[in-house]
């Protein structure tokens, strides 16, 4: 009992199953009641009824499961999570369970490493293996009878885990520093600051030489530039002159003036080249549809009499 650290006034839960010998269970409970005293309490729970027992969270200081001599109890993930829930913060769980020494696929019996991982996933910390020993002949027989499992590579391990010293969902106020943090900027030397400061009085000081900005310009800078020199190297190049998008060199305006001066270019464009032959050769969407035949490049003008006759 000293290995479990049980003392007077503590609340202890003993979890048993159908493989637990009755006399061994009674003997264990008597010893625990002597250790906890009148101020403590020892509760006995069947592992199959633990989820329905509706214990309040943080009810026990210590939980012992499968510890009864001769027991071969298996712990599911749901049972381990329930044990972690009803443990008080900093409370301890001690369990004993048969494990496989080799990995067996689809086995109901876990390995020792998987059992430790299951305790960790249930929310316990400081999970460690305390003891490992071979199963007694009675325990081997119990595994076969109560678990329906046959294997020659089983061991019995005792593992402990501790609940963190806080409850699930608990909150705590963070202690934030109220001291004013430095801006991180380096200190400025007053002498250096005064050296680079120019006031209005310094403008009248004869010792201060001010440069006239006009003297920085050469005569070539004052000449008006040639518009042709402002064009980009690739502006208007190629067989067809075309202004750039957002043209600023004047090429767009120049091309627009040329378009207005050329009457032929202002005429509707022919897609097939047969518009001048007459309606018999024109498309349904031809811009010259309804006009008489004409020579290529000739601008067709209809008289008022022709329009009235139409």
């Amino acid at each position: 009992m000293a290995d479990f650290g049980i003392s007077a006034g503590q609340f202890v839960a003993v979890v048993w199953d159908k493989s637990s010998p009755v006399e061994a269970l009674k003997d264990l409970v008597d010893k625990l009641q002597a250790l906890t005293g009148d101020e403590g309490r020892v509760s006995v729970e069947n592992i199959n009824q633990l989820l329905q027992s509706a214990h309040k969270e943080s009810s026990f200081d210590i939980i012992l499961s499968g510890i009864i001599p001769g027991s071969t109890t298996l712990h599911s993930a749901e049972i381990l999570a329930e044990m972690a829930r009803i443990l008080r913060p900093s409370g301890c769980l001690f369990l004993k369970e048969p494990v496989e020494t080799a990995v067996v696929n689809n086995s109901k019996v876990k390995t020792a490493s998987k059992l430790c991982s299951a305790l960790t996933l249930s929310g316990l910390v400081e999970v460690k293996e305390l003891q490992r020993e071979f199963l007694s002949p009675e325990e081997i027989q119990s595994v076969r009878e109560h678990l329906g499992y046959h294997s020659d590579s089983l061991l019995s391990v005792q593992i402990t885990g501790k609940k963190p010293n806080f409850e699930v969902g608990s909150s705590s106020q963070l202690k934030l520093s109220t001291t004013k943090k430095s801006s991180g900027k380096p200190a400025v030397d007053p002498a250096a600051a005064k050296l680079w400061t120019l006031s209005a009085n310094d403008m009248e000081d004869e010792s201060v030489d001010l440069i006239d900005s006009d003297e920085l310009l050469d005569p070539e800078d004052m000449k008006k530039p040639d518009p042709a020199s402002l064009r980009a190297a690739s502006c208007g190049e190629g067989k067809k002159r075309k202004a750039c998008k957002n043209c600023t060199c004047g090429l767009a305006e120049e091309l627009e003036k040329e378009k207005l001066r050329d009457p032929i270019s202002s005429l509707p464009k022919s897609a097939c080249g047969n518009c001048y032959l007459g309606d018999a050769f024109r498309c349904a969407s031809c811009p010259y549809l309804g006009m008489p035949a004409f020579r290529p490049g000739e601008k067709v003008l209809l008289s008022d009499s022709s329009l009235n006759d139409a």
Side-chain angles (χ1 to χ4, degrees), residues 5-6 40 47 67 87 99 101 123 130 132 145 148-149 162 172 196 200 206 215 217 222 224 251 264 289:
I6 300 174
I47 194 169
I67 300 298
L87 264 179
V99 297
T101 56
L130 298 178
R132 178 179 295 204
E145 292 180 359
Y149 189 80
K162 185 178 180 181
S172 177
W196 291 99
E206 297 180 356
E215 295 180 358
L217 299 176
M222 306 297 292
K224 185 177 181 180
L251 181 60
I264 298 178
L289 194 64

Side-chain angles (χ1 to χ4, degrees), residues 163-222:
K163 187 172 182 177
N165 59 353
F166 55 86
E167 191 55 76
V168 176
S170 60
S171 61
S172 177
Q173 184 177 2
L174 297 178
K175 296 181 180 180
L176 301 178
S177 177
T178 57
T179 58
K180 186 177 180 180
K181 296 183 178 180
S182 60
S183 59
K185 297 180 180 179
V188 180
D189 185 7
K194 184 178 180 180
L195 179 64
W196 291 99
T197 301
L198 186 65
S199 64
N201 296 330
D202 295 332
M203 303 295 291
E204 300 177 358
D205 192 352
E206 297 180 356
S207 62
V208 178
D209 296 332
L210 299 178
I211 300 176
D212 187 0
S213 58
D214 294 336
E215 295 180 358
L216 300 176
L217 299 176
D218 296 331
E220 294 294 331
D221 299 329
M222 306 297 292

